[in-house]
Every structure is written in structure tokens, then in C-alpha cells.
């Protein structure tokens, strides 16, 4: 297949691009490589895919992987509609996996406009390109944050998601609504993936595993929100990528759609919520050092618990995430302490 991966320098996107190229698909990855967090980490992820940093840094430069003849990278923004249209016209993609977005729940409280440009306008550009260039299937990243204030657990794809508590969550729910509309109007398949708290090697530095490990290594205190009274459905990166690729490979004529609209949503989570304090203890054990802790109230935009019901993923795609927290944290800390980690500790 010929596949476009947006957000290809990101945590999930770089791993998806690598796995697709490794198995033989023709893959084009794009990313604007913004400075939301240290671009050094983004370039290092691309390097693992054979994309040289000094070439990837140039806007619109077509960079061929040194590892895979079937893999290209181009630094562009999905908010740039004319450039995106030229990309679709040139490469005639079969499928698109849109992982480009302004991430971060807490950041959306202080930088709301960043989310509109990428998560709404950029997503609209992707859908318009899919419509105009006859894309068979658009897969896109949604988020467990769309469940917002829902109190029923585990969270099911059939639950109402009308109570978001952050602009980030609202933008992801908007993507789901927009995708359903385009599938109904224009007939191409769209599938949204509600990811649950992704962690592992090469993860984002603004998320708790990296924040905690960095603070512990420096002997600095960690911030423990809601006094540690929180639970998260932590999901290891390899499980996230495997689930994503199962969706990419899935047929779009399986008779699973409601009202004949080729639109579907899947939760991808571990289905084993972990207490925040237990998560911290796992990191402490692997780091070999106890963390200093500052206990704080709940932050704006946060929720008490996330918990994925993955029955639909299991029944329809025969996949269930399986990596345990103990195994996942061990692999993360091994990477964190290794020379592969490009960030200054």
C-alpha cells in the first residue's frame, strides 16, 4: 500500500512509519517539527527511520530514508492546504493515518489557539484532500480525553461524550464529528482511534513517565496531582502501534457500520487502570531511587480515571493490548538511561 503518515516525527507516528516501512509499504511521513517540546527528540526519532536530521530540517525537502528505499519524509504542516494538496496529487495514497495534532491537555488551557490551527483547520485540510484525491480510508488519532466527565467505567465507544473538560478533548471530539460527516457525505471510510495514556521509549518529555524519571535522576521533586488520587489506563507504545496497524490493514466493507456510514471508533487501551502512586513506585523501583514528592490539587483539564473497554477492538480486529506496566516501565527506564535518549538529563 501507499500510505501517508502525518505527525511522523511524533511518539506514535515515528514508530508507525518505521513498522510500515519495515514490512514493505511505500510510506511518506510528514511533520512540521514544531517546538512544543525539544525538536532534538523528534529528529532522533526520525533518525531511527533512516531520516537524516540535516536534511529533514529543511521545509518541503523530500528526504529518502537511508534504511528503507520505500520511505520518504517531508517537513510540512497539514495547516498549509496548497502544499498538502500537491503532496496528495503527487503520491496517490491508498490510505492516510493522521497523527498530526497539537498535543497536551494542560497546554490547551494556556495556548488555545494552537489547537484550532492544527487540530481543526489542519484536520479539515486532510479530509478535503482525502475527498478530492479518492483516498480509500482515513485513520486518525482521537483521544481517551473525549470521555471527559463520564463516571461510568470502563469507557465504551458507545458512551455519550458530551462533557469534555479541556479544549484538547473538545478538538478531538470535533475531529470525530467532522469525520462522520465526511464519511456520510462522500463515502470514504474514516476510523478514529481513542488512545489511552501512551508511554514507553521515545515518549514525550511533557508526559508523566519522562517528567518523573528526569526529576528522580536529578534529585528534584515530582508533582503529584490530586494528592495521588488518580488512575490511568497506561498503554505501552508497541500495543498502540500494533492496534493502529491492525486498523490500517482492516477492510472497510465488513458490514460493521451503523446506518451505512463507513465510520468507526476504537478504544486502544490496556484495560487495566493503575493508581498513580503505583505507577510512581514502578518508576522509582526501576530508577533505584525514591522520588521527592510535592502533593498538589487536581489540575484544570484533568480527570480522575481513564479506563478503556476494548471489546470492540478484540471482537472486530482480534487484538488486545497486553504489555504489563511492570514490563513497559522496565523498557522505558532502560531506554531513558541509555545513550539512545537524546535529551539532556
Amino acid at each position: 500500500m501507499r500510505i501517508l503518515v502525518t505527525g511522523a516525527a511524533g511518539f506514535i507516528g515515528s514508530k508507525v512509519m518505521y513498522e510500515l516501512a519495515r514490512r514493505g509499504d511505500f510510506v511518506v511521513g510528514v511533520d512540521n517539527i514544531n517546538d512544543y517540546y525539544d525538536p532534538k527528540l523528534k529528529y532522533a526519532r526520525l533518525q531511527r527511520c533512516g531520516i537524516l536530521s540535516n536534511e529533514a530540517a529543511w521545509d518541503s525537502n523530500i528526504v529518502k530514508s537511508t534504511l528503507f528505499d520505500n520511505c520518504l519524509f517531508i517537513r510540512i504542516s497539514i495547516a498549509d492546504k496548497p502544499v498538502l494538496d500537491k503532496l496528495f496529487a503527487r503520491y496517490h495514497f491508498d490510505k492516510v493515518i493522521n497523527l498530526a495534532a497539537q498535543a497536551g491537555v494542560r497546554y490547551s488551557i494556556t495556548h488555545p489557539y494552537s489547537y484550532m490551527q492544527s487540530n481543526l483547520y489542519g484536520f479539515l485540510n486532510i479530509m478535503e484532500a482525502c475527498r478530492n484525491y479518492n483516498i480509500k480510508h482515513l485513520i486518525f488519532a482521537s483521544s481517551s480525553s473525549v470521555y471527559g466527565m463520564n463516571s461510568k467505567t470502563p469507557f465504551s465507544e458507545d458512551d455519550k461524550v458530551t462533557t469534555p473538560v479541556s479544549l484538547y478533548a473538545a478538538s478531538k471530539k470535533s475531529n470525530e464529528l467532522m469525520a462522520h460527516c465526511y464519511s456520510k457525505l462522500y463515502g470514504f471510510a474514516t476510523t478514529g482511534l481513542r488512545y489511552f495514556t501512551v508511554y514507553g521509549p521515545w515518549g514525550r518529555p511533557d508526559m508523566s513517565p519522562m517528567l518523573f524519571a528526569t526529576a528522580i535522576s536529578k534529585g528534584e521533586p515530582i508533582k503529584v496531582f490530586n494528592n495521588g488520587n488518580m488512575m490511568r489506563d497506561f498503554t505501552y507504545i508497541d500495543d498502540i502501534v500494533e492496534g493502529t496497524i491492525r486498523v490500517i490493514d482492516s477492510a472497510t466493507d465488513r458490514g460493521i457500520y451503523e446506518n451505512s456510514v463507513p465510520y468507526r471508533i476504537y478504544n486502544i487501551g490496556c484495560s487495566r487502570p493503575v493508581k498513580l502512586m503505583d505507577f510512581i513506585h514502578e518508576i522509582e523501583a526501576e530508577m533505584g531511587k525514591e522520588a521527592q514528592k510535592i502533593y498538589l490539587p487536581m489540575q484544570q483539564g484533568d480527570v480522575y480515571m481513564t479506563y478503556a473497554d476494548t471489546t470492540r477492538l478484540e471482537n472486530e480486529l482480534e487484538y488486545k493490548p497486553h504489555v504489563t506496566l511492570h514490563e513497559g516501565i522496565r523498557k522505558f527506564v532502560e531506554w531513558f538511561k541509555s545513550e539512545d535518549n537524546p535529551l539532556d538529563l
Side-chain angles (χ1 to χ4, degrees):
M1 288 189 290
R2 301 174 69 85
I3 302 174
L4 171 65
V5 178
T6 74
F11 181 25
I12 301 173
S14 60
K15 180 77 170 174
V16 169
M17 180 169 68
Y18 178 89
E19 294 298 335
L20 292 174
R22 186 167 68 92
R23 75 177 193 177
D25 291 304
F26 177 78
V27 185
V28 177
V30 301
D31 199 294
N32 67 353
I33 315 183
N34 65 27
D35 60 358
Y36 168 61
Y37 58 83
D38 193 342
K40 191 188 313 181
L41 179 59
K42 301 180 182 184
Y43 286 119
R45 292 178 186 139
L46 290 173
Q47 186 77 43
R48 295 175 66 231
C49 298
I51 305 299
L52 301 180
S53 300
N54 61 331
E55 297 182 23
W58 293 88
D59 287 345
S60 300
N61 189 33
I62 300 173
V63 184
K64 185 174 182 180
S65 169
T66 59
L67 293 179
F68 308 109
D69 290 337
N70 51 316
C71 181
L72 305 175
F73 175 81
I74 311 170
R75 181 176 180 174
I76 64 170
S77 170
I78 62 171
D80 190 334
K81 187 178 186 301
V83 171
L84 196 65
D85 286 342
K86 290 179 181 178
L87 181 78
F88 275 74
R90 177 168 183 168
Y91 290 107
H92 307 287
F93 302 112
D94 297 305
K95 298 192 176 187
V96 173
I97 169 72
N98 182 54
L99 300 171
Q102 176 58 60
V105 169
R106 292 168 188 161
Y107 191 73
S108 70
I109 303 296
T110 55
H111 297 77
Y113 287 97
S114 299
Y115 292 77
M116 298 302 99
Q117 184 74 0
S118 177
N119 299 14
L120 294 183
Y121 185 67
F123 189 67
L124 176 62
N125 289 343
I126 289 288
M127 289 195 300
E128 277 289 285
C130 288
R131 172 173 78 93
N132 292 325
Y133 293 95
N134 301 313
I135 302 303
K136 300 174 184 177
H137 191 186
L138 166 64
I139 302 96
F140 64 96
S142 185
S143 168
S144 63
S145 66
V146 301
Y147 290 106
M149 295 175 64
N150 287 20
S151 58
K152 181 189 77 64
T153 56
F155 298 150
S156 166
E157 295 93 342
D158 294 323
D159 294 341
K160 289 184 178 180
V161 285
T162 56
T163 56
V165 294
S166 70
L167 188 63
Y168 171 72
S171 74
K172 288 299 185 180
K173 179 55 186 174
S174 298
N175 287 169
E176 295 180 2
L177 294 171
M178 294 162 73
H180 185 278
C181 175
Y182 267 65
S183 287
K184 172 62 175 175
L185 288 174
Y186 306 115
F188 67 87
T190 59
T191 304
L193 306 179
R194 291 176 179 168
Y195 294 133
F196 281 70
T197 316
V198 190
Y199 75 100
W202 302 95
R204 282 176 21 214
D206 63 316
M207 296 190 71
S208 58
M210 193 82 84
L211 291 172
F212 291 164
T214 300
I216 291 171
S217 69
K218 293 181 176 180
E220 298 174 350
I222 65 173
K223 295 178 180 179
V224 182
F225 293 105
N226 205 37
N227 298 305
N229 186 26
M230 299 171 72
M231 298 185 74
R232 288 290 181 270
D233 197 342
F234 291 101
T235 312
Y236 190 66
I237 180 63
D238 290 1
D239 280 332
I240 290 288
V241 170
E242 173 65 19
T244 300
I245 290 177
R246 292 283 183 108
V247 173
I248 292 172
D249 291 343
S250 64
T252 56
D253 57 354
R254 295 171 291 143
I256 59 172
Y257 298 120
E258 299 175 10
N259 302 316
S260 300
V261 179
Y263 166 85
R264 205 66 170 152
I265 292 290
Y266 291 104
N267 288 335
I268 303 185
C270 202
S271 297
R272 290 193 291 271
V274 175
K275 293 178 180 178
L276 177 59
M277 295 310 299
D278 290 342
F279 179 74
I280 292 171
H281 294 331
E282 285 283 352
I283 294 181
E284 289 174 325
E286 292 297 330
M287 293 291 292
K289 186 178 180 182
E290 185 176 350
Q292 304 172 47
K293 303 174 185 71
I294 299 175
Y295 292 94
L296 297 168
M298 182 80 85
Q299 284 232 310
Q300 279 187 308
D302 271 352
V303 296
Y304 163 66
M305 175 187 283
T306 61
Y307 182 1
D309 179 346
T310 57
T311 303
R312 181 179 292 178
L313 187 72
E314 295 171 46
N315 291 344
E316 296 181 6
L317 298 179
E318 299 180 347
Y319 185 69
K320 180 178 175 62
H322 64 274
V323 177
T324 64
L325 182 70
H326 181 72
E327 179 185 359
I329 291 297
R330 177 180 58 79
K331 291 180 177 179
F332 163 72
V333 172
E334 283 179 358
W335 168 83
F336 180 84
K337 292 180 175 180
S338 74
E339 294 182 357
D340 287 339
N341 182 356
L343 299 179
D344 298 325
L345 300 181

